[in-house]
Amino acid sequence: MLLVGMALGLVAAFESADGGGFQIARDADEYTQIWSIGRDLVMFGAVVPILLGIALYIVPLQIGASSSAFARGGAAAFWTWALGVDLLIISYLLNGGPGGGRTDFVLLWATALAMMLGGLIWAMVVVLTTILGARTVGMTTDRVPFTTWGFFVFCLVGIFSVPITMAELLLGYLNVRYGHLPITESEALAAVMDGVSFAPSIYWLGIPLLGIGVDVIGAHTGIPVASRKPIMAAITAFGVLTFGADLVAMASLRTLEFNNALLVLGLLGAALPVLAILGLSGLSIRNGEFKARVALLGALLSGMLVLAAAAVALLGVVEPIMVGLDKIIPDAIDLNNTLVVNGTAWHESVRALMIGAAVVGIIGALHHWANKIWGRRLTEPLGMLSLLLAAGGAVLWAVGELVAGIADRPFYSALDQADFDGYSGLVNTMGFVSAVGVLALVGAAALLALNLASNVFGSKPAGSSPDDWTGSTLEWATASPPGLGNFPGPPIVTSASPLADGDLRFDGIVSESMAVASPEGTEGEDA
Amino acid sequence: MAVTTHSHDIIPAELSLAEASRPRLLVLATSLATAAMAMGFVGLLSVYISTRADVLATGERWLPDGVNIPLTQPNYIGLTVAFSVVTIWWMVSAVRNDDRVNALAATSISLLFAFAYFAQTAYLMTIMEIEIAADPRGVLLYAVIGTHMVIMLVAVGYTLLMALRAAGGDYSSRDYEGVLSAAIFWTVASGLYAVMWYVIYITK
């Protein structure tokens, strides 16, 4: 889905890079369809589901549980999402979706997207329940690994914010169904997903990436990252800022106006927690052994791209701050010369960096845990190439969109021929730069798929790669891949780094929380 | 403790029943799912409030001419829902005390209240005289009211399922998390009616 979504994004990018009018799409509506399905498939068809897939596998191992809290619930969430993805693609193929011309299939688009989001919310509930209710003995909340904490905040923010988008989808569905939104104006439906695609709401994707990054850095430098509580607080603060933004967006109907103080605060404040996490993790790199592995580089680059996104997003607060100052000190500021990026391609540049951060972080995470999941390591050179392509591609994509945005190219890159004709040479050049960046991301996704396929379906037997990085969290205390029940017995931990501190024990004592982690493993299944 | 009434005769009657050995995962999951559901509903209401404020700001009336939302039905629906919250917790209490007769009575009365809620809401919709296809405000009204009906329908289905499982012996004084989960969902769904009652029926 990542490959398909990015490829469709590539088509849209090349179309908008071409100053001569519509070459690939037949008209503006078809362009909107290609662009919107690309955007939605990358985010909710690929990045979020992949992150939740990693969570459903790794989180139970990290907290010493024998399985996720509702294993069949997780499977049901997957199939709900998968059916939604299929219907979404079908709806577009039959001229539906935003910009579509057939009412039935525009309605199918809304239904399919709601199914996808519903499935993802369901999976988030499973992950949260696992973290809250299936931790093993001694795994108190302040001892959970950073990855688990990142997923905890990510899922908590998700279950409170994604339903708001579902509510908007419902209204979009009813408005089309009862003719209040004419089918000839169906492209307006693309705005339903704008709320989750704009900063600071889109920082939501960065929450688990930060947690994963800290764990990976600890494992690959041999020194678990210290300052646990400040890092956990920083991850939480980052999540609170995205959630606050969602609340504001809900109250202001997700308008593009950044005149709300909380939104400004979200944009201003998001960079600080990321900076703190990168700085504190950097101490491990300075004191430990730095090896240029895909996992470690992926963690670092991912964090840097999130930071870059937060920095680029700061441009969005220039206008509201200037307007605010003008109210306090009238005539002191020339508002006509204020940088206004709101409503321009600038939104796309922030999204490009966040999607890039997610792809880079996922490549790193899969290299880190591949042996744990499939019993075979991913190929490092191939991984390194995909990592560099993804990071470089994201930066190119973002730079192209940012410069075009400053040059006043509107957010929806090209809506009609007049827009094309009105573009300056710089905007067209930047469109081409963006398209090259998206092409690099497509290449990265293809290489990742190739790497996964060759390792998962390759001839190397499972369990042939040793776990030779020095992880201190519980998933490294069991076989790769783990057997039934995950652990030889319920683990008992007394510190946040049980493997590094050498204080891990397995015991047969059954207490309330350990019953879930029992080797028989059936207690934690569906009720 | 009425151990002998259980079918687990293999357990000596003199032994006290053990507590459920696992944390209440179903209660946790239901609470989280309920929070997500409530957030979606509140999101819908916020769109309603915001759109209404925009219309009022132009000096127009919110409800189209000829449309009237009476208060009698919404108030009775509110009372019905409030009573159902009492009976749903009566059901939980009965299961906790292994009182099958009371559990059956409480479940039946709760479902009866739910039926009354659906009947009264359907009647209210017929007398409001607002056409969903004729006015975008109708879409908003029906979206909010209809979503709440769906939420109540889910609450009824969930409760029915858990009540059947309790009747089959899955839930008892030893482990009653299923009925507790259903009661939590039902209570929040009823609480959402209170919010909707104020936002839609009172402020109009």
Side-chain angles (χ1 to χ4, degrees):
Chain A
M1 278 307 131
L2 182 64
L3 196 54
V4 173
M6 291 307 308
L8 287 161
L10 177 65
V11 173
F14 269 118
E15 183 67 273
S16 61
D18 175 13
F22 295 109
Q23 304 291 329
I24 305 167
R26 279 173 297 189
D27 53 26
D29 285 341
E30 201 168 285
Y31 171 80
T32 305
Q33 286 176 302
I34 295 169
W35 177 82
S36 65
I37 190 179
R39 176 187 65 170
D40 298 342
L41 271 186
V42 165
M43 187 145 168
F44 291 107
V47 169
V48 176
I50 291 172
L51 286 172
L52 286 173
I54 292 172
L56 283 167
Y57 196 95
I58 296 300
V59 163
L61 288 170
Q62 286 203 328
I63 60 171
S66 62
S67 73
S68 62
F70 295 93
R72 279 172 288 178
F78 168 77
W79 288 111
T80 307
W81 165 83
L83 184 59
V85 170
D86 291 342
L87 291 176
L88 186 86
I89 293 170
I90 289 169
S91 74
Y92 276 100
L93 289 175
L94 296 171
N95 196 16
R102 294 174 70 180
T103 306
D104 286 348
F105 299 105
V106 172
L107 297 178
L108 182 64
W109 165 83
T111 310
L113 208 46
M115 279 181 75
M116 285 168 64
L117 298 181
L120 295 175
I121 292 171
W122 197 343
M124 286 186 255
V125 167
V126 172
V127 172
L128 279 172
T129 309
T130 306
I131 297 171
L132 288 170
R135 296 190 309 275
T136 193
V137 170
M139 185 61 76
T140 51
T141 44
D142 60 336
R143 287 178 185 160
V144 296
F146 295 110
T147 301
T148 299
W149 185 254
F151 278 118
F152 177 73
V153 179
F154 173 73
C155 293
L156 207 55
V157 171
I159 66 161
F160 281 110
S161 57
V162 178
I164 300 170
T165 304
M166 291 180 74
E168 290 182 84
L169 275 173
L170 172 68
L171 289 175
Y173 178 99
L174 292 173
N175 279 321
V176 173
R177 169 75 178 75
Y178 291 101
H180 300 304
L181 180 66
I183 194 68
T184 50
E185 296 171 18
S186 67
E187 70 276 2
L189 287 171
V192 170
M193 302 303 286
D194 283 353
V196 284
S197 308
F198 288 170
S201 297
I202 197 168
Y203 295 159
W204 177 55
L205 295 181
I207 302 169
L209 301 176
L210 294 174
I212 290 170
V214 179
D215 270 347
V216 169
I217 288 170
H220 287 265
T221 55
I223 298 182
V225 177
S227 313
R228 287 186 56 79
K229 284 184 179 170
I231 288 180
M232 288 169 89
I235 293 173
T236 311
F238 193 66
V240 167
L241 288 169
T242 73
F243 180 58
D246 264 305
L247 284 182
V248 171
M250 180 176 76
S252 59
L253 288 181
R254 297 188 184 281
T255 53
L256 293 174
E257 292 167 13
F258 280 74
N259 54 2
N260 197 301
L262 199 51
L263 269 180
V264 172
L265 187 70
L267 288 169
L268 277 176
L272 295 176
V274 183
L275 209 54
I277 292 166
L278 285 175
L280 291 168
S281 305
L283 293 175
S284 285
I285 296 172
R286 196 183 68 179
N287 299 329
E289 188 183 358
F290 184 86
K291 290 178 183 171
R293 292 173 179 147
V294 175
L296 182 56
L297 287 176
L300 287 171
L301 285 173
S302 174
M304 286 176 186
L305 285 170
V306 174
L307 187 63
V312 169
L314 286 179
L315 293 177
V317 301
V318 173
E319 184 199 4
I321 287 178
M322 290 300 172
V323 171
L325 283 175
D326 186 57
K327 284 177 184 166
I328 299 167
I329 319 165
D331 301 326
I333 294 158
D334 181 7
L335 289 178
N336 292 327
N337 287 326
T338 300
L339 177 67
V340 180
V341 289
N342 181 27
T344 70
W346 162 78
H347 292 292
E348 279 290 87
S349 69
V350 180
R351 187 173 77 91
L353 288 167
M354 285 309 301
I355 294 296
V359 174
V360 166
I362 285 168
I363 292 171
L366 289 177
H367 275 263
H368 183 61
W369 284 303
N371 195 39
K372 188 57 61 185
I373 298 171
W374 297 291
R376 305 175 184 92
R377 202 127 345 111
L378 294 178
T379 312
E380 282 280 313
L382 208 54
M384 198 63 82
L385 189 59
S386 63
L387 196 68
L388 296 175
L389 270 177
V395 170
L396 275 181
W397 181 13
V399 166
E401 300 289 354
L402 179 62
V403 176
I406 292 172
D408 277 343
R409 194 186 80 184
F411 169 57
Y412 282 93
S413 312
L415 285 181
D416 54 36
Q417 189 63 47
D419 282 326
F420 278 123
D421 295 340
Y423 284 175
S424 66
L426 176 67
V427 168
N428 285 327
T429 307
M430 285 301 114
F432 185 73
V433 170
S434 293
V436 171
V438 179
L439 179 64
L441 270 164
V442 172
L447 285 178
L448 176 64
L450 181 70
N451 205 345
L452 286 172
S454 65
N455 278 270
V456 175
F457 303 110
S459 57
K460 204 160 67 170
S464 56
S465 303
D467 289 327
D468 64 355
W469 31 81
T470 46
S472 62
T473 44
L474 273 185
E475 76 266 31
W476 305 108
T478 187
S480 297
L484 189 67
N486 283 346
F487 297 94
I492 300 174
V493 294
T494 54
S495 77
S497 305
L499 272 70
D501 299 344
D503 60 356
L504 175 67
R505 287 187 295 122
F506 294 99
D507 208 319
I509 298 167
V510 176
S511 69
E512 278 204 6
S513 57
M514 287 173 64
V516 177
S518 64
E520 290 78 27
T522 51
E523 290 271 320
E525 298 286 315
D526 269 352
Chain B
M1 202 169 286
V3 177
T4 49
T5 61
H6 286 264
S7 58
H8 311 304
D9 292 331
I10 196 166
I11 301 172
E14 64 272 20
L15 286 182
S16 61
L17 288 173
E19 291 297 312
S21 59
R22 62 179 181 173
R24 291 176 170 178
L25 296 179
L26 190 58
V27 174
L28 272 174
T30 304
S31 303
L32 292 164
T34 305
M37 173 271 293
M39 202 65 197
F41 189 73
V42 170
L44 208 53
L45 275 178
S46 78
V47 176
Y48 178 90
I49 294 168
S50 181
T51 311
R52 179 177 172 277
D54 289 345
V55 171
L56 292 178
T58 62
E60 283 184 42
R61 286 184 67 224
W62 168 239
L63 291 176
D65 289 338
V67 173
N68 180 37
I69 301 181
L71 258 185
T72 313
Q73 285 75 21
N75 290 347
Y76 273 103
I77 296 171
L79 279 175
T80 309
V81 166
F83 287 145
S84 76
V85 172
V86 175
T87 56
I88 207 78
W89 286 98
W90 174 23
M91 178 189 82
V92 176
S93 170
V95 173
R96 280 182 71 176
N97 291 299
D98 291 324
D99 186 343
R100 295 172 71 90
V101 175
N102 268 289
L104 181 65
T107 309
S108 306
I109 296 171
S110 301
L111 295 176
L112 189 68
F113 280 137
F115 176 76
Y117 159 85
F118 287 114
Q120 290 179 93
T121 308
Y123 176 64
L124 178 63
M125 281 181 167
T126 59
I127 59 173
M128 280 199 305
E129 292 178 349
I130 183 164
E131 284 290 325
I132 191 167
D135 198 307
R137 285 168 281 194
V139 167
L140 267 175
L141 268 172
Y142 285 112
V144 174
I145 299 171
T147 301
H148 192 263
M149 288 178 87
V150 171
I151 290 170
M152 283 304 288
L153 198 63
V154 173
V156 167
Y158 195 22
T159 304
L160 205 55
L161 178 68
M162 292 306 160
L164 285 172
R165 290 186 66 170
D170 280 0
Y171 297 119
S172 61
S173 58
R174 184 172 176 269
D175 175 10
Y176 54 91
E177 69 166 343
V179 286
L180 182 62
S181 305
I184 288 170
F185 191 92
W186 190 296
T187 306
V188 174
S190 305
L192 290 177
Y193 178 81
V195 180
M196 185 176 78
W197 172 78
Y198 181 75
V199 170
I200 290 188
Y201 300 130
I202 295 294
T203 60
K204 292 192 172 64

